[in-house]
Amino acid sequence: MARIVFDAEASALRQAAEAEFPGSPALAYVLERLAAEGIDLDRCVRWDDLRAEIGLPDDNGSARVA
């Protein structure tokens, strides 16, 4: 779905992302782009919460491959 983002809105999104992650400009950029595409970041769910919601066991790291 296309979404029009005005300059003032894009600037506010960029500033919010940069303020949230000052030490990680790449992460700030990704979050700003997601928001600019219309992804409501306030509605995002943490991975641990999603796992619990759908009944998956806790991620204790034992299934990870080094």
Side-chain angles (χ1 to χ4, degrees):
M1 169 169 79
R3 180 171 180 264
I4 296 173
V5 178
F6 296 96
D7 289 340
E9 183 183 8
S11 179
L13 292 170
R14 191 174 304 106
Q15 289 172 356
E18 290 170 358
E20 189 70 30
F21 299 98
S24 182
L27 181 56
Y29 173 78
V30 169
L31 292 174
E32 182 269 326
R33 293 302 311 143
L34 288 171
E37 292 295 325
I39 306 296
D40 184 356
L41 299 177
D42 291 330
R43 294 185 56 204
C44 292
V45 177
R46 289 176 10 104
W47 176 241
D48 293 334
D49 295 340
L50 182 61
R51 290 176 66 86
E53 183 180 314
I54 62 174
L56 293 174
D58 289 338
D59 182 15
N60 62 10
S62 62
R64 293 193 178 128
V65 177

